[in-house]
Amino acid sequence: MSQTNINICMDDTLKQQFDHLCNELGLNMSVAVNIFAKAMVRQQKIPFEVSLDIPNAETLEAINDVNHERNLSRPFHSIEELMEDLNA
C-alpha cells in the first residue's frame, strides 16, 4: 500500500499537547491520526474516545480519604448487617 503525506494546520499549543498525549499513550501523531481515520471510515462516524484514565476530583478525594483512613465506614461481618446499616 502506497503512502501519502497530508498537512494539518493546528494551533502550536494544541500540537504540543497532542504530541505529549500521543507519547503518553505510546503513539506518535501520525499513528494516532491513522487510527482515527481508519476507525472513522470503518464506522462511518467519529468512533471512539482515546484517553488517559485520570480520576475526577471526587474519585481523587475518595482515594485520598482511604489512603489517610478518613471517612471510612465501619466493618460489616455479613451482607445482612451491611443492608441493615444501609437501610437505617
Side-chain angles (χ1 to χ4, degrees), residues 11 23 27 35 43 45-46 49 66 72 81-82 84:
D11 178 89
N23 288 329
L27 309 170
I35 289 170
Q43 296 181 27
K45 64 179 184 174
I46 296 176
E49 179 183 337
V66 169
L72 301 176
E81 187 181 353
L82 169 64
E84 285 176 17

Side-chain angles (χ1 to χ4, degrees), residues 17-83:
Q17 292 170 338
F18 181 52
D19 186 43
H20 177 75
L21 179 58
C22 287
N23 288 329
E24 288 292 314
L25 295 169
L27 309 170
N28 62 44
M29 290 189 293
S30 181
V31 170
V33 170
N34 273 286
I35 289 170
F36 181 72
K38 287 177 182 181
M40 279 191 72
V41 169
R42 183 177 58 251
Q43 296 181 27
Q44 295 295 297
K45 64 179 184 174
I46 296 176
F48 56 87
E49 179 183 337
V50 177
S51 64
L52 296 175
D53 188 16
I54 299 173
N56 63 26
E58 182 179 2
T59 302
L60 288 172
E61 185 177 337
I63 291 169
N64 192 34
D65 282 349
V66 169
N67 289 338
H68 292 92
E69 297 181 1
R70 292 187 304 245
N71 301 318
L72 301 176
S73 66
R74 65 179 182 83
F76 297 98
H77 302 290
S78 69
I79 293 175
E80 291 79 18
E81 187 181 353
L82 169 64
M83 292 308 294

Side-chain angles (χ1 to χ4, degrees), residues 1-6 30 34 38:
M1 178 184 307
S2 66
Q3 299 283 312
T4 189
N5 289 321
I6 61 171
S30 181
N34 273 286
K38 287 177 182 181

